[in-house]
Amino acid sequence: MSRDLAGGQIVAGRYRLERCIGRGGMGVVWAATHVVTRREYALKVMLEGAGSEDGRRRLEREARAATAVRHPNVIVVHDVLALDDGTPVMVMDLLEGESLAQRLARDGALPVDTFARLMLPVVSALGAAHAVGIVHRDLKPANIFLATGAGGPGGTVDVKVLDFGIAKLTASEGDAAATAALTNTGTILGTPSYMSPEQVLGETDIDHRADLWALGCIFYESLAGQRPTSADTVGKVLRIILTGSIKPIRDRKSTRPNSSH
């Protein structure tokens, strides 16, 4: 169903699709306008083939995790609904700007003051998630969004942590109640370059330390302009992670467009 969506279409009887603004492994994101309030939202629609029962539960878990955190630097989820064919849709705030991944690809390593200004909200949001029993498990620059003007000269930093789609909810009760049954032993979840060793090994007792590992990788990449686990194959990336053969950041030259090297 998601591949048949088009601009101008009304979904769920109240959202008019405006334009496609992104596409990931599990879903496509549309900018949409509520036909009554005229407020703009982002609609994340599960992709064709991803709308299995497990996929639906993952989207619901993402909504539950994001809602449970209640932090100004975590994306706001307003609703979860379904298209006529049952395809699940998540309704979120519409953000304008770019991801940290796009920023790093364009500008390379960040100046230290900019780095600190952008990363402190991420650390705060992550701490809030961990405090209520949520482990993100897929923290990476693509899932850190910089609102329009964020980090610019004199600009107000507005950073949002996105995509709790594979989050592990470890609390015993409340909005972040445990969902361990959704993950089987030996299942590798996450993005290879930012995975902790326990994620690479497919262990099930993943805790907040996996996010801290990923955060360290993001810090490294933001300051050096290159990933600590860079390699030309996924297998080599995983070997670097498991053997701990990461080159110290002090031995790296900062990679920026205007660098002399």
Side-chain angles (χ1 to χ4, degrees):
M1 174 66 178
S2 58
R3 66 184 177 188
D4 298 325
L5 297 176
Q9 184 174 343
I10 304 296
V11 300
R14 54 190 181 276
Y15 295 101
R16 183 178 65 249
L17 301 181
E18 305 292 351
R19 64 191 186 281
C20 181
I21 57 176
R23 191 180 186 92
M26 293 291 290
V28 58
V29 181
W30 283 81
T33 303
H34 195 288
V35 296
V36 176
T37 66
R38 299 292 189 262
R39 180 175 175 179
E40 291 186 313
Y41 293 93
L43 269 56
K44 182 175 182 179
V45 184
M46 294 294 288
L47 284 173
E48 190 83 17
S52 63
E53 180 64 18
D54 183 62
R56 182 187 62 78
R57 289 193 293 170
R58 284 178 185 273
L59 186 137
E60 291 177 351
R61 176 171 56 185
E62 178 178 355
R64 286 175 57 204
T67 301
V69 178
R70 297 185 181 93
H71 189 280
N73 298 109
V74 172
I75 185 70
V76 175
V77 176
H78 297 278
D79 198 4
V80 176
L81 46 87
L83 302 182
D84 292 342
D85 66 348
T87 300
V89 179
M90 187 164 63
V91 182
M92 306 173 291
D93 275 348
L94 178 64
L95 304 174
E96 299 291 344
E98 63 180 353
S99 69
L100 178 60
Q102 292 169 315
R103 174 72 176 271
L104 293 174
R106 185 185 70 244
D107 296 343
L110 301 174
V112 173
D113 59 341
T114 301
F115 161 78
R117 194 161 64 248
L118 297 179
M119 289 299 106
L120 282 174
V122 177
V123 172
S124 179
L126 204 57
H130 294 165
V132 294
I134 295 171
V135 184
H136 191 289
R137 292 200 297 183
D138 196 22
L139 198 65
K140 56 186 176 182
N143 286 337
I144 297 173
F145 193 87
L146 313 179
T148 302
T156 301
V157 177
D158 188 8
V159 182
K160 300 290 185 183
V161 177
L162 313 178
D163 201 352
F164 283 80
I166 64 169
K168 183 177 183 181
L169 287 73
T170 60
S172 59
E173 58 184 23
D175 292 337
T179 54
L182 292 180
T183 304
N184 297 319
T185 301
T187 300
I188 297 179
L189 295 174
T191 301
S193 294
Y194 306 93
M195 281 183 181
S196 63
E198 57 268 32
Q199 285 177 286
V200 171
L201 294 172
E203 296 178 2
T204 58
D205 57 343
I206 303 297
D207 62 22
H208 67 283
R209 290 172 292 184
D211 285 345
L212 297 183
W213 173 285
L215 194 62
C217 291
I218 294 169
F219 282 8
Y220 188 116
E221 183 176 357
S222 297
L223 291 170
Q226 51 192 304
R227 297 172 183 169
T229 55
S230 291
D232 55 8
T233 68
V234 172
K236 290 179 180 178
V237 168
L238 301 183
R239 184 169 61 189
I240 289 172
I241 294 169
L242 291 176
T243 60
S245 53
I246 294 174
K247 189 174 183 178
I249 194 170
R250 64 177 175 271
D251 296 336
R252 297 268 194 187
K253 289 186 176 180
S254 176
T255 304
R256 302 186 67 194
N258 295 324
S259 297
S260 58
H261 61 279

